[in-house]
Amino acid sequence: MKLAICNETFESWSTAAGFPFERVFEYVRRIGYEGIEIAPFTIADDARLVSAAKRIEIRQLAKQHGLTITGLHWLLARTDGYYLTSPDAAVRQKTTDYFLELTRLCADLGGKFMVLGSPKQRNLLPGVSKEQALDYAADVLQQVLPLLEKCDVQIAIEPLSTKETDFLTTAAETVELIRKIGAPHRIALHLDCKAMCAESTPIPELIRQNREHFIYFHVNDPNLQGPGFGELQFGPIFDALREIQYKGWASVEVFDYSPGPELLAEKSIHYLRKFVPSSACPCNGNHHRSSSGFHPCASRHSCSVCGETSAFEQENCEFCNPNEESKPSAATFRPELFDSECPACGAKPSEKPFCPICGKNYQHGNS
């Protein structure tokens, strides 16, 4: 299992020149994520306006920073005129044509997955029954299958809660559409923690029930922030993922950006490293789990067992092993990002907005 994060988390970093892909890619990889999931509107509101040169540029930037572009999501966000369940055949054909362009964009960026949520473009229109909507949606997506096959891209359809949509509100309903389409190797299920919280079946059981259907996974909290920011306990969730031997991506998707992109990204990955060891550590994470759940590699410590560090880690923790020439920095272990104390030095978490060790503001990196 590998960890990714959605790039619109950093949309507040955008300037007049557009979305800062290089800055985001460098930062995301440096703090330990291995993948990035792209919202097309961070490139252009219309996927057809993304030039070949821009597609190559983004793909090469990700490669330069050792980052995998997992694919696309928010497929129809900030678009007009597209509708998955419209009774109008012309609208459905227009929607099909746009999905074809999104498939090309995904492949051009090096992505393999397209997460199809887009609740506003799938709600049941007046006079349209659920059965008719299933037929209309299948009609749109079946026409995309040949290009998905050619480009080696998969669509992962996302069930969403009734707060967001009235169509495909459970995993079972979504699997019904997937079976109607009839190509589960190309169009399959996506599971999202926030959305699954609205179902009557516990999340771990939903994972087990749909082990043969889902191909992509979003991690987030019902409070619309990242994992570890709310009450949802991810231990049983990742136990279920390991039980079914899920080897795919777990991607952080948030909707409430108020804590700031840095805190959202860093606290999320530090929390997730309790359950998903860094693949960069030669120990394969076996030494990372202590009674407190502290993860040395994610915290920029060298491994307390083997001494190895991942590609983007420092050789020693600047706080645990300070010297006159090395002062704590924004990259240093910051106990306030954790729920437990550091087992190496005993530093305890702090609820204060400023790190008690280095004086840095942990949300913005400013003193």
Side-chain angles (χ1 to χ4, degrees):
M1 211 180 317
K2 295 183 179 181
L3 299 180
I5 190 169
C6 297
N7 80 316
E8 77 278 1
T9 307
F10 305 92
E11 194 171 15
S12 63
W13 287 4
S14 297
T15 67
F19 187 85
F21 284 97
E22 184 166 16
R23 179 187 176 191
V24 170
F25 289 175
E26 186 280 328
Y27 171 76
V28 164
R29 189 64 188 97
R30 173 162 50 82
I31 64 174
Y33 291 96
E34 296 162 288
I36 189 86
E37 187 177 334
I38 304 293
F41 62 74
T42 61
I43 312 175
D45 286 344
D46 188 325
R48 294 168 297 187
L49 300 179
V50 184
S51 67
K54 188 64 175 180
R55 298 176 190 216
I56 293 170
E57 175 193 346
I58 294 171
R59 181 170 180 161
Q60 290 181 340
L61 280 173
K63 183 177 181 180
Q64 289 169 13
H65 291 287
L67 200 62
T68 298
I69 293 178
T70 65
L72 308 177
H73 76 142
W74 281 111
L75 301 182
L76 300 180
R78 303 186 192 179
T79 64
D80 292 310
Y82 307 119
Y83 215 94
L84 185 65
T85 60
S86 173
D88 188 328
V91 172
R92 294 201 305 276
Q93 186 59 55
K94 183 179 179 181
T95 305
T96 293
D97 292 343
Y98 195 67
F99 276 126
L100 292 171
E101 185 57 41
L102 287 168
T103 302
R104 298 184 191 98
L105 175 62
C106 185
D108 289 345
L109 295 177
K112 296 295 183 181
F113 303 95
M114 298 199 303
V115 177
L116 175 52
S118 302
K120 293 181 180 180
Q121 290 85 7
R122 79 190 204 198
N123 283 328
L124 297 177
L125 293 172
V128 175
S129 68
K130 173 190 168 184
E131 291 70 25
Q132 289 174 316
L134 287 170
D135 289 338
Y136 296 150
D139 174 52
V140 169
L141 296 174
Q142 284 172 332
Q143 296 182 66
V144 187
L145 284 171
L147 188 61
L148 290 173
E149 195 74 45
K150 180 179 179 180
C151 293
D152 192 21
V153 170
Q154 294 173 283
I155 289 178
I157 306 176
E158 180 179 26
L160 294 169
S161 76
T162 54
K163 292 182 180 180
E164 300 168 278
T165 186
D166 57 5
F167 181 63
L168 306 180
T169 59
T170 67
E173 290 178 4
T174 309
V175 169
E176 184 179 354
L177 172 58
I178 291 165
R179 286 174 172 156
K180 182 179 284 287
I181 294 168
H185 65 297
R186 284 297 158 200
I187 299 180
L189 180 66
H190 169 74
L191 292 179
D192 175 280
C193 290
K194 170 184 66 66
M196 284 189 287
C197 285
E199 295 211 33
S200 58
T201 304
I203 293 176
E205 187 57 31
L206 283 172
I207 290 171
R208 296 183 183 99
Q209 290 176 0
N210 292 282
R211 63 192 306 163
E212 297 180 0
H213 303 295
F214 82 94
I215 56 174
Y216 203 80
F217 199 78
H218 272 162
V219 284
N220 42 31
D221 191 271
N223 69 4
L224 307 183
Q225 296 180 4
F229 281 79
E231 299 300 320
L232 184 60
Q233 297 300 308
F234 282 80
I237 293 172
F238 279 94
D239 285 344
L241 289 170
R242 282 190 295 272
E243 179 184 321
I244 69 167
Q245 299 183 339
Y246 177 70
K247 303 294 185 182
W249 290 99
S251 184
V252 175
E253 181 188 38
V254 302
F255 303 90
D256 176 3
Y257 308 111
S258 59
E262 297 94 335
L263 185 58
L264 285 166
E266 292 187 32
K267 185 173 179 179
S268 291
I269 194 168
H270 287 310
Y271 176 80
L272 290 172
R273 285 302 183 205
K274 295 179 181 181
F275 317 110
V276 184
S278 171
S279 62
C281 180
C283 285
N284 198 32
N286 293 329
H287 60 281
H288 293 163
R289 295 188 181 185
S290 65
S291 58
S292 63
F294 179 81
H295 187 289
C297 287
S299 305
R300 304 183 183 281
H301 285 68
S302 58
C303 165
S304 58
V305 174
C306 68
E308 294 291 339
T309 56
S310 64
F312 293 87
E313 313 292 338
Q314 299 179 30
E315 189 64 31
N316 295 296
C317 170
E318 293 178 352
F319 171 55
C320 297
N321 300 284
N323 57 60
E324 294 182 357
E325 297 180 356
S326 177
K327 296 181 179 180
S329 66
T332 303
F333 165 64
R334 288 167 290 176
E336 63 275 305
L337 292 176
F338 297 86
D339 296 326
S340 56
E341 67 181 26
C342 170
C345 65
K348 296 182 182 298
S350 169
E351 295 181 354
K352 298 180 180 180
F354 289 88
C355 175
I357 307 305
C358 65
K360 296 286 186 179
N361 180 303
Y362 65 81
Q363 183 170 339
H364 301 289
N366 299 319
S367 57

